[in-house]
Amino acid sequence: MIVVNGGSSSGKSGIVRCLQAVLPDPWLAFGVDSLIEAMPASMQASDAGIEFAPDGGVSVGPEFMALQTAWMEGVAAMARAGARVIVDDVFLGGVASQQRWQKVLAGLDVLWAGVRCESAVAAGREIARGDRVQGMAVSQAEVVHQGVFYDVEVDTTHTESLVCARNIAGRVRRP
Amino acid sequence: MIVVNGGSSSGKSGIVRCLQAVLPDPWLAFGVDSLIEAMPASMQASDAGIEFAPDGGVSVGPEFMALQTAWMEGVAAMARAGARVIVDDVFLGGVASQQRWQKVLAGLDVLWAGVRCESAVAAGREIARGDRVQGMAVSQAEVVHQGVFYDVEVDTTHTESLVCARNIAGRVRRP
Amino acid sequence: MIVVNGGSSSGKSGIVRCLQAVLPDPWLAFGVDSLIEAMPASMQASDAGIEFAPDGGVSVGPEFMALQTAWMEGVAAMARAGARVIVDDVFLGGVASQQRWQKVLAGLDVLWAGVRCESAVAAGREIARGDRVQGMAVSQAEVVHQGVFYDVEVDTTHTESLVCARNIAGRVRRP
Amino acid sequence: MIVVNGGSSSGKSGIVRCLQAVLPDPWLAFGVDSLIEAMPASMQASDAGIEFAPDGGVSVGPEFMALQTAWMEGVAAMARAGARVIVDDVFLGGVASQQRWQKVLAGLDVLWAGVRCESAVAAGREIARGDRVQGMAVSQAEVVHQGVFYDVEVDTTHTESLVCARNIAGRVRRP
């Protein structure tokens, strides 16, 4: 199990796809984007769900948290059932977010990978992606790493996704 | 837990989105499309993975089956952890596919929903969707229902997705 | 040249894809969605651009109109250069929108096709599509046809896209 | 009018979105991807249309060329009608592709921008994008620039899209 944490536009998704390409076995990849995709459309922009503010802020309500916890349990169960799983997440709560995962992943062999990117560079990539809402990259760049422990850290500011992925893959223990 | 089974272009996805809209609680929706999305790109068009033939045939290899089983365990775990979950699937193996799910979902309260659509109509909707590969709709229309047991069946040939979803939702037991 | 007009969720896109499949020659398809896609992200949700209100209302500013006019001239030029072109549009201004097109398409052989769908059915299909904003289907269902002239009209309420497309294709004059 | 030329995965699309963000006026953006999108699904993987070989090769047939020429005329007409237009293209024919554009754009004020990226880096980004077909990046990296004239050249190997876009934008003449 690999957990990849980083802010919006830090390059997590590209690194995850490269990890799937360079790792010798097939790995499943899930992430907060696929979770949001799985939720009812009405959970977006609702107080109980998830809200994206015009300034890039993200706030998450109690129903979102409850569904997320069950989803995390499910992802852990896939790993316990023998699947190799990569999860990418945005630890909006910093170390508290990591502790939620640690509790759910108890007993599993987890590689914690941090993806950093200089705030200004991430903001530029946010523009290049064409997202209508700007500001997430900057507001998340630092906060998601606060107090978080990593086995391996990469920085996409000056390093390509594929190289970052190879660094992470080199730390994966073959059973 | 709701399991929705039907062939390609039968209208499953639209029904699932309507179910999420009409059911009073928030339900998570997963399906075979999101599973394929989670797999490495190389698993598509590989003997061990999943292959889409030019005539619309779909063949699935041993590595795909292994990851799928772990994914099914994970989806079951989400439901056991308290999430309301809708799964849409294409029972390429007919009753054998259902039995795989039954084993994994043991102990859970499951509503089995079948989505039918006349083969010719599904083939037309396949064209309307603009899929490059034609033929899946016809080749799957009958085979996915062979020997399968349902709590509720709907037919999208002459009935709108929203009406079908209301029929299914009416059979969901509130705890 | 074929101009297809209808409200949101009336089934225009599916009909256009079916037209491309059933017409014997290759036709290019453009539409208001591809125009919005071509605009800067900032033109969405700006007073001068295009705004989608939470109730499904759509308002269009002067800069949007100016770019749209130039885009319409370009689409006409493609047809004059020999391409077969299908355009789908939402005549928010009713007959005034048609007159804008008539002016731009002067001298070209145009087939005007209207796509109708009962308001309640279109609203249901809007839910099935999973759009976050609801209400466009209902607010546009009638207004886009006001005063508009058609060579052929289809209604997707009870008729499949492919059948509607065949009706329209049957009216295309072969040179 | 700005014409941006570069190989697959060289970073053209990101640069175009950044150009739309940094240029003071609204610019429309079209490209070879939007042209393919506009074609019938059947034109893909057909001898007369466009074929993507498993090794990343791209071959283009006579019907594709004919529609493309008409599309180019249309894009030129949008610019003549007063729209600011950015086109991104892949000059598979090198200088011959540029000459096709020059003929069509006669009389318009055109800024020719070349986007380079080291072949190995582009290949890595192709993996990060998760494209199923690998090889386009490498096979196109050099050939698309052969004999082509530029007003401004950027290289995304070590330079961010936003910085490249600012370099290009700095060369745009304000009327």
Side-chain angles (χ1 to χ4, degrees):
Chain A
M1 179 103 195
I2 306 172
V3 179
V4 177
N5 175 47
S8 184
S9 291
S10 65
K12 290 185 307 296
S13 304
I15 288 175
V16 169
R17 283 189 288 262
C18 287
L19 276 170
Q20 289 186 298
V22 301
L23 287 163
D25 300 298
W27 288 67
L28 292 176
F30 299 96
V32 68
D33 287 347
S34 66
L35 171 61
I36 291 172
E37 189 81 10
M39 293 198 178
S42 61
M43 284 287 281
Q44 294 188 33
S46 101
D47 284 351
I50 184 164
E51 275 189 293
F52 299 93
D55 68 349
V58 178
S59 59
V60 153
E63 291 192 357
F64 185 94
M65 294 282 276
L67 288 175
Q68 190 181 32
T69 300
W71 172 80
M72 290 161 75
E73 296 279 3
V75 170
M78 292 181 205
R80 289 198 183 95
R84 295 167 185 86
V85 178
I86 307 168
V87 165
D88 73 83
D89 200 1
V90 182
F91 289 181
L92 291 174
V95 66
S97 300
Q98 185 172 36
Q99 286 163 349
R100 275 179 81 196
W101 274 111
Q102 282 172 317
K103 202 173 147 190
V104 162
L105 300 177
L108 286 166
D109 190 14
V110 181
L111 183 80
W112 299 92
V115 178
R116 292 179 182 274
C117 181
E118 276 177 23
S119 177
V121 170
R125 293 180 188 166
E126 191 172 57
I127 294 170
R129 284 163 40 158
D131 295 354
R132 256 174 302 159
V133 175
Q134 303 288 324
M136 275 205 226
V138 167
S139 71
Q140 298 176 357
E142 296 300 323
V143 72
V144 300
H145 297 293
Q146 272 170 9
V148 177
F149 157 84
Y150 295 115
D151 295 298
V152 53
E153 285 185 71
V154 295
D155 189 320
T156 64
T157 312
H158 302 294
T159 311
E160 294 292 312
S161 299
L162 183 57
V163 177
C164 294
R166 286 201 178 113
N167 288 349
I168 297 170
R171 302 293 299 269
V172 172
R173 231 177 338 178
R174 301 300 304 276
Chain B
M1 177 104 195
I2 306 174
V3 179
V4 177
N5 175 47
S8 183
S9 291
S10 65
K12 290 184 305 298
S13 304
I15 289 175
V16 169
R17 282 188 288 262
C18 287
L19 276 170
Q20 290 186 297
V22 300
L23 286 163
D25 300 299
W27 288 67
L28 292 176
F30 300 96
V32 68
D33 287 348
S34 66
L35 171 60
I36 292 172
E37 188 81 10
M39 292 198 178
S42 62
M43 283 287 282
Q44 295 189 32
S46 102
D47 284 351
I50 184 164
E51 276 190 291
F52 299 93
D55 69 348
V58 178
S59 60
V60 154
E63 291 192 355
F64 184 95
M65 294 281 277
L67 289 175
Q68 190 181 33
T69 300
W71 172 80
M72 290 161 74
E73 296 279 3
V75 170
M78 293 179 205
R80 288 199 183 95
R84 294 168 185 87
V85 179
I86 307 169
V87 165
D88 73 83
D89 200 1
V90 182
F91 288 180
L92 291 174
V95 67
S97 300
Q98 186 172 37
Q99 286 163 349
R100 276 178 82 196
W101 274 111
Q102 282 171 318
K103 202 172 146 192
V104 163
L105 300 177
L108 287 166
D109 189 13
V110 181
L111 183 80
W112 299 92
V115 178
R116 292 180 182 274
C117 180
E118 275 177 25
S119 177
V121 169
R125 292 180 188 167
E126 192 172 57
I127 294 170
R129 283 163 41 158
D131 294 355
R132 257 175 300 159
V133 175
Q134 303 289 323
M136 275 206 226
V138 168
S139 71
Q140 298 177 358
E142 294 301 322
V143 72
V144 301
H145 297 292
Q146 272 169 11
V148 177
F149 158 84
Y150 295 115
D151 295 299
V152 53
E153 285 185 69
V154 295
D155 189 321
T156 64
T157 312
H158 301 294
T159 311
E160 294 292 312
S161 298
L162 183 57
V163 177
C164 294
R166 287 201 179 114
N167 288 349
I168 296 170
R171 301 294 299 270
V172 173
R173 231 180 336 179
R174 301 300 303 277
Chain C
M1 177 101 193
I2 307 172
V3 179
V4 178
N5 174 47
S8 184
S9 291
S10 65
K12 290 184 307 297
S13 304
I15 288 175
V16 170
R17 281 187 289 262
C18 287
L19 276 170
Q20 289 186 298
V22 302
L23 286 163
D25 300 299
W27 289 66
L28 292 176
F30 299 96
V32 68
D33 287 347
S34 66
L35 171 60
I36 291 173
E37 189 80 11
M39 292 197 177
S42 62
M43 283 287 282
Q44 295 190 31
S46 101
D47 283 351
I50 184 164
E51 276 191 292
F52 299 94
D55 69 348
V58 178
S59 60
V60 154
E63 291 193 355
F64 184 94
M65 295 282 277
L67 289 175
Q68 189 180 33
T69 300
W71 171 81
M72 290 161 74
E73 296 280 2
V75 170
M78 293 180 205
R80 288 198 184 96
R84 295 167 184 88
V85 179
I86 307 168
V87 165
D88 73 83
D89 200 0
V90 182
F91 288 180
L92 291 174
V95 67
S97 300
Q98 186 172 35
Q99 286 163 349
R100 276 179 82 197
W101 274 111
Q102 282 172 319
K103 202 172 147 191
V104 163
L105 300 177
L108 287 165
D109 189 14
V110 181
L111 183 80
W112 299 93
V115 178
R116 293 180 181 272
C117 180
E118 277 176 23
S119 177
V121 169
R125 292 179 189 167
E126 191 173 57
I127 295 171
R129 283 164 41 158
D131 294 354
R132 256 173 302 159
V133 175
Q134 304 289 323
M136 275 205 227
V138 167
S139 71
Q140 298 177 358
E142 295 302 323
V143 73
V144 300
H145 298 291
Q146 273 169 10
V148 177
F149 156 84
Y150 295 115
D151 296 297
V152 53
E153 285 186 70
V154 295
D155 189 321
T156 64
T157 312
H158 301 293
T159 310
E160 294 292 312
S161 299
L162 182 57
V163 177
C164 293
R166 286 202 178 112
N167 288 349
I168 297 170
R171 302 293 299 270
V172 173
R173 234 183 329 184
R174 301 298 306 276
Chain D
M1 177 105 195
I2 307 173
V3 179
V4 177
N5 175 47
S8 184
S9 290
S10 66
K12 289 184 306 297
S13 304
I15 289 175
V16 170
R17 282 188 288 262
C18 287
L19 277 170
Q20 290 186 298
V22 301
L23 287 163
D25 300 299
W27 288 67
L28 292 176
F30 299 96
V32 68
D33 288 347
S34 66
L35 170 61
I36 292 173
E37 189 81 9
M39 293 198 177
S42 62
M43 283 288 281
Q44 295 189 33
S46 101
D47 283 351
I50 184 165
E51 276 190 292
F52 299 94
D55 69 347
V58 178
S59 59
V60 154
E63 291 192 356
F64 185 94
M65 295 280 278
L67 289 175
Q68 189 180 33
T69 300
W71 172 79
M72 290 161 74
E73 296 279 4
V75 170
M78 293 180 204
R80 287 198 186 95
R84 294 167 185 87
V85 178
I86 307 168
V87 165
D88 73 83
D89 199 0
V90 182
F91 288 0
L92 291 174
V95 67
S97 300
Q98 186 173 34
Q99 286 163 350
R100 278 178 81 196
W101 274 112
Q102 282 171 318
K103 203 173 146 191
V104 163
L105 301 177
L108 286 166
D109 189 14
V110 181
L111 183 80
W112 300 92
V115 178
R116 293 179 181 273
C117 180
E118 277 178 23
S119 178
V121 168
R125 291 180 189 166
E126 191 173 58
I127 294 170
R129 282 163 43 157
D131 294 355
R132 257 175 300 157
V133 175
Q134 303 289 323
M136 274 205 227
V138 168
S139 72
Q140 298 177 358
E142 295 301 323
V143 72
V144 301
H145 297 293
Q146 273 169 8
V148 177
F149 157 84
Y150 295 116
D151 295 298
V152 53
E153 286 185 70
V154 295
D155 190 321
T156 64
T157 312
H158 301 293
T159 310
E160 294 292 311
S161 300
L162 183 57
V163 177
C164 293
R166 287 202 178 112
N167 287 348
I168 297 170
R171 302 293 299 270
V172 173
R173 232 179 336 179
R174 301 299 304 277

